[in-house]
Amino acid sequence: MSVLPTTTPVRNPPPSATASPFAGDPSAMRVVERMRRRSPKADPLGRLPDVHPERIPRHIAIIMDGNGRWAKRRGFPREFGHRNGAASVRAVIEECGLLGVEVLTLYSFSMENWKRPPEEVSALMQLYMTYLEAEIERFMAENLRFRQIGRREGLAPEVLAAADRLTEMTKKNTGATLCLAVNYGARAEIVDAVRGIAERVKRGEIEPGAITDETVHEHLYTAGLPDPDLLIRTAGEMRVSNYLLWQISYAELHVTDVLWPDFGVAELHAAVRDFAGRTRKFGGLG
């Protein structure tokens, strides 16, 4: 989990001085107009002039990995890495808004992370609450929506209260959504969805034969959000770690060796350019 930084946050570089070849393209301008209705500051042609706006992913999911290794290499405790990872969180959130990304989902604390030393878990939860309180003004000023996904059982009441407060305060905002996966596991999410559907069948609200992909989607923690188009994993790990298993069925994967605290705007741009160059076939011939 990455929260408030103890070092100077990574700043977004100025827009590119290179004129976009898509600036006069009617289809590109329609996409930009749609983006700006949600995020008025969206400037994909200025930020990534070589990428057609319709090739910008609507939903980016990130597995933030490498905080501990980043700190260890510098001779500091793991908590130092978690704190400094927040500079990357802030930079990526801001840049996603400028690129016109609709949803950013960050894997912040997995159900497996409870296996870590109690003092580290306690520090992570305290940092998470501090982050939620500190970001209220920014979320409201930038019209952002907040959402936490994962099981509530096991989280301390004060953690849930802080998350619920930010969720409630931002629920009427109409801009981009920041979704944090906390106490999250994809298998648990699917189990919970199956249980919810089974209860509806038991009550006679739905016939088993009427269950569809959309039915399952409606019972996932991410109900109402588009599935991720792009999954980014830092620190070079080649696995998805029980993250959004249903939702990433057709996502493009981008793995970088960069540790999360060193992940910034340039690395995000590289991932989006990689995505924009892919041909998404969805089982067809493209």
Side-chain angles (χ1 to χ4, degrees):
M1 180 186 294
S2 301
V3 283
L4 296 176
T6 57
T7 59
T8 303
V10 177
R11 300 298 182 185
N12 280 323
S16 172
T18 304
S20 172
F22 306 111
D25 184 336
S27 66
M29 298 315 298
R30 283 195 294 270
V31 176
V32 173
E33 290 173 5
R34 171 177 56 79
M35 290 176 169
R36 287 178 176 167
R37 285 195 293 270
R38 181 180 298 273
S39 301
K41 294 195 301 182
D43 182 25
L45 295 178
R47 305 306 297 181
L48 282 175
D50 55 320
V51 176
H52 194 290
E54 69 182 6
R55 302 293 290 173
I56 301 289
R58 291 181 63 197
H59 184 170
I60 297 177
I62 304 179
I63 301 175
M64 306 177 293
D65 206 351
N67 288 344
R69 275 169 278 178
W70 186 91
K72 184 178 180 180
R73 291 177 183 178
R74 290 158 176 77
F76 290 102
R78 293 176 58 84
E79 183 182 339
F80 185 79
H82 296 312
R83 285 183 174 272
N84 281 274
S88 296
V89 171
R90 290 178 182 274
V92 168
I93 291 173
E94 182 176 353
E95 189 63 18
C96 280
L98 293 173
L99 291 175
V101 175
E102 295 179 23
V103 183
L104 174 65
T105 301
L106 303 177
Y107 204 2
S108 302
F109 189 88
S110 74
M111 295 180 72
E112 290 76 16
N113 286 155
W114 293 108
K115 301 173 184 176
R116 295 184 178 185
E119 58 272 17
E120 180 179 353
V121 171
S122 178
L124 284 169
M125 291 301 164
Q126 185 59 51
L127 290 170
Y128 182 47
M129 287 189 292
T130 302
Y131 171 80
L132 294 176
E133 292 295 331
E135 291 298 284
I136 291 176
E137 290 187 9
R138 182 184 180 194
F139 271 75
M140 299 307 296
E142 299 187 13
N143 195 32
L144 299 174
R145 289 184 293 179
F146 173 78
R147 187 162 174 176
Q148 177 179 296
I149 61 171
R151 282 185 173 172
R152 295 174 64 88
E153 295 80 11
L155 293 174
E158 56 269 26
V159 173
L160 294 173
D164 289 345
R165 181 187 180 202
L166 187 56
T167 301
E168 180 65 23
M169 291 184 68
T170 63
K171 70 179 183 180
K172 293 184 179 180
N173 290 352
T174 58
T177 298
L178 174 65
C179 186
L180 298 184
V182 179
N183 194 28
Y184 176 85
R187 288 185 174 183
E189 177 182 28
I190 294 171
V191 168
D192 289 346
V194 171
R195 288 173 176 169
I197 295 170
E199 286 293 331
R200 292 187 60 193
V201 171
K202 183 178 179 180
R203 294 193 297 267
E205 297 175 3
I206 185 172
E207 291 293 325
I211 296 172
T212 65
D213 284 7
E214 183 60 30
T215 308
V216 177
H217 171 79
E218 292 170 354
H219 288 79
L220 295 173
Y221 303 153
T222 54
L225 298 177
D227 288 339
D229 301 295
L230 172 63
L231 172 64
I232 301 171
R233 176 145 198 170
T234 63
E237 301 294 349
M238 303 295 289
R239 55 183 179 271
V240 295
S241 296
N242 195 24
Y243 185 46
L244 301 174
L245 296 180
W246 178 280
Q247 297 89 333
I248 64 171
S249 295
Y250 292 101
E252 297 293 324
L253 308 183
H254 176 88
V255 178
T256 174
D257 290 331
V258 175
L259 303 179
W260 178 249
D262 291 327
F263 189 96
V265 172
E267 289 74 23
L268 178 64
H269 284 185
V272 173
R273 284 191 174 99
D274 184 20
F275 171 84
R278 307 276 184 91
T279 299
R280 305 184 73 192
K281 299 181 180 179
F282 299 98
L285 298 179

